[in-house]
Amino acid sequence: MHMVDLIQKKRRGGSLTQEEIHWMIRGYTRGEIPDYQVSALLMAICFQGMDPQETAQLTLAMAQSGASLDLSALPGAKGDKHSTGGVGDKTTLVVAPLAAACGLTMVKLSGRGLGHTGGTVDKLAAIPGFRTDLTVQELLKVASDTGLCLAGHTGNLAPADQKLYALRDVTGTVDSIPLIASSIMSKKLACGAQSILLDVKVGSGALMKTRQEALELAQTMVDIGRRCHRQVACLLTDMDIPLGFAVGNALEVQEAIDTLKGQGPRDVTELSLALTAHLLALAGFGTPKACLEQARQALLDGRGLAKLGQVIQAQGGDPAILTNPRRLPQAEHVLTVLSPITGYLTAMDTEGCGRTCMHLGAGRERKEDPIDLTAGLVFHVKPGDFVQRGEPVAQLFAQDPARLIPAREELLQALSWGDTPPRPQTLIHALVTQDGVQLQ
């Protein structure tokens, strides 16, 4: 085979065969095919797309480009969960313990964040002593002992995806549904779980800005799962408003703990329970309605919180944070943001709120940037709330006081006010399964 032939074939709108895709991924992973030729193919894919069979084969080829986790020795059903990312999305820290408390074995591997706040691994780094850099043997032991492991990507999982993702980032080829779907699903397949629930965010603070885009991505990933013999479903969830009140790494850990205590924000609690229920249902624990009751009971009786404490201790962390939040990293400087007018908060530019957090130090503009684990913001109000001029609407947190005043002005620019309240938020838009789309 010759790479030029594949580029020309895809440029003309043709479909690449299974053999061609696997040959290309093997060659690129080994360094035998240069970046410039793969860049040309990626651009052709962006313009011409890929059919479902091509997308599934690309996903499989990337998943098989390195090692895969073998979870067969772990007890019971194995599940996994992934979110496409949003502002204030700390649901993994709630869903994974709840699902494990209900009997589903969870090996959740996550990455570091690039953008407004850290990824799940960065949030976990805010827990004193907590180790996410586990070997395969260590993570399997933690999962065997506790039913849950929360770690960073380990070993040589899907190395082709890492190379392709870095290339897409610098060649303007990020915005392609087949490439996004295969990137996400290749890592999920390599992680070994049979039941995979995906949380596809849609709105101003999400990668997918419209329901149509989010639905296309969700359907593509569910189809990949079907073709690769995995149980996969997607929830389309709202990201026009930050999730919860806290945005920032240590701040979000605290809010997740509050949620597991039954004291969290309504939207975080509702979404976490829904995600847990659908994940359990995928794994054969019952109907979504019955699984929702199981998840709610694990929240109410404290088993979810206890499970989080177990895994924190098993991975070297300080479980005392569950009862003493002051043991989490604390910002040295706090600034209260006051409402400039009297009226209803009608909308938030969620992406703008995320940028505010990044400029406070909670996120990264470049992969090598350090993160301030204490930085971020906590809202006091959400769209629909009526506030008086001078009333607190948020608090900003940072170690560097010079960041606070510019961040306050940036945050105020992201908030909209009016004389009438907006329509209530729809938190969950749709459920996508192999049987079709169910609007919620």
Side-chain angles (χ1 to χ4, degrees):
M1 296 183 193
H2 299 283
M3 193 63 185
V4 172
D5 295 335
L6 272 62
I7 296 168
Q8 292 176 337
K9 183 179 184 179
K10 178 49 67 177
R11 189 191 67 195
R12 294 191 296 265
S15 295
L16 302 178
T17 67
Q18 175 180 335
E19 292 75 17
E20 288 170 334
I21 291 171
H22 284 255
W23 172 83
M24 183 271 294
I25 291 296
R26 282 195 303 270
Y28 184 52
T29 305
R30 295 170 182 169
E32 299 165 356
I33 299 174
D35 282 349
Y36 60 82
Q37 286 189 314
V38 177
S39 298
L41 181 62
L42 292 174
M43 188 61 72
I45 290 171
C46 281
F47 282 116
Q48 297 291 356
M50 300 185 92
D51 64 38
Q53 180 64 16
E54 283 181 290
T55 305
Q57 288 303 321
L58 177 61
T59 306
L60 269 176
M62 290 195 294
Q64 295 170 357
S65 64
S68 296
L69 282 181
D70 181 2
L71 306 182
S72 59
L74 297 178
K78 273 73 75 174
D80 201 353
K81 173 254 180 199
H82 176 79
S83 169
T84 57
V87 180
D89 183 11
K90 71 282 294 176
T91 56
T92 289
L93 303 180
V94 181
V95 172
L98 284 179
C102 291
L104 181 64
T105 298
M106 293 284 294
V107 177
K108 179 70 180 77
L109 303 188
S110 305
R112 300 190 182 278
L114 182 62
H116 48 80
T117 57
T120 299
V121 167
D122 297 301
K123 301 185 206 310
L124 293 169
I127 300 174
F130 192 90
R131 286 187 58 215
T132 58
D133 58 337
L134 305 181
T135 66
V136 172
Q137 291 74 23
E138 287 174 325
L139 70 85
L140 290 176
K141 184 178 188 317
V142 170
S144 179
D145 291 345
T146 69
L148 171 64
C149 182
L150 301 170
H153 288 291
T154 187
N156 190 35
L157 296 177
D161 175 62
Q162 298 175 35
K163 291 192 69 174
L164 285 176
Y165 190 91
L167 194 59
R168 287 166 54 210
D169 194 40
V170 297
T171 57
T173 53
V174 171
D175 191 15
S176 163
I177 295 292
L179 296 178
I180 295 169
S182 59
S183 175
I184 292 170
M185 289 299 295
S186 66
K187 293 190 285 286
K188 295 293 101 181
L189 295 182
C191 287
Q194 284 298 313
S195 303
I196 304 167
L197 183 70
L198 303 163
D199 180 3
V200 178
K201 301 295 186 187
V202 55
S204 66
L207 177 65
M208 301 290 116
K209 304 298 184 186
T210 69
R211 288 195 196 186
Q212 182 178 350
E213 291 176 317
L215 187 59
E216 183 182 352
L217 176 61
Q219 290 174 313
T220 301
M221 292 192 291
V222 168
D223 184 70
I224 290 171
R226 180 182 63 81
R227 292 172 185 272
C228 297
H229 311 292
R230 304 293 176 95
Q231 294 296 317
V232 178
C234 294
L235 283 179
L236 266 61
T237 69
D238 191 74
M239 194 37 70
D240 272 329
I241 300 173
L243 188 62
F245 293 104
V247 187
N249 299 288
L251 298 169
E252 290 187 47
V253 171
Q254 182 57 54
E255 190 164 85
I257 292 170
D258 291 342
T259 302
L260 286 169
K261 290 179 177 179
Q263 302 165 3
R266 180 200 60 79
D267 55 351
V268 177
T269 302
E270 180 182 332
L271 180 56
S272 296
L273 288 172
L275 290 167
T276 306
H278 285 290
L279 182 53
L280 293 172
L282 268 181
F285 282 68
T287 66
K289 183 177 180 180
C291 290
L292 181 61
E293 186 54 37
Q294 293 178 51
R296 183 174 285 114
Q297 191 58 43
L299 180 70
L300 292 175
D301 64 21
R303 283 182 293 133
L305 181 67
K307 184 62 67 176
L308 179 61
Q310 280 184 326
V311 77
I312 289 174
Q313 187 156 21
Q315 293 184 222
D318 179 9
I321 64 166
L322 301 185
T323 54
N324 183 2
R326 296 295 299 179
R327 297 180 77 93
L328 289 166
Q330 305 291 313
E332 291 189 20
H333 301 279
V334 182
L335 177 67
T336 300
V337 181
L338 305 179
S339 173
I341 64 171
T342 296
Y344 288 98
L345 180 60
T346 57
M348 292 175 161
D349 173 2
T350 303
E351 188 173 353
C353 296
R355 285 195 301 270
T356 299
C357 280
M358 183 173 69
H359 295 151
L360 284 166
R364 298 180 178 91
E365 294 190 65
R366 299 170 300 174
K367 290 182 180 180
E368 62 272 18
D369 288 345
I371 273 186
D372 176 0
L373 295 172
T374 72
L377 64 88
V378 174
F379 290 104
H380 297 309
V381 294
K382 284 289 196 75
D385 290 338
F386 185 84
V387 295
Q388 299 285 343
R389 180 176 180 176
E391 184 179 345
V393 295
Q395 284 182 299
L396 307 181
F397 298 80
Q399 297 291 57
D400 181 358
R403 295 176 180 259
L404 293 172
I405 299 301
R408 179 183 63 185
E409 301 311 309
E410 186 173 26
L411 180 64
L412 288 173
Q413 289 293 319
L415 305 180
S416 298
W417 311 86
D419 296 328
T420 56
R423 294 175 59 185
Q425 177 192 24
T426 300
L427 185 59
I428 301 174
H429 298 292
L431 170 66
V432 181
T433 68
Q434 294 180 7
D435 296 325
V437 179
Q438 302 173 33
L439 298 178
Q440 302 295 293

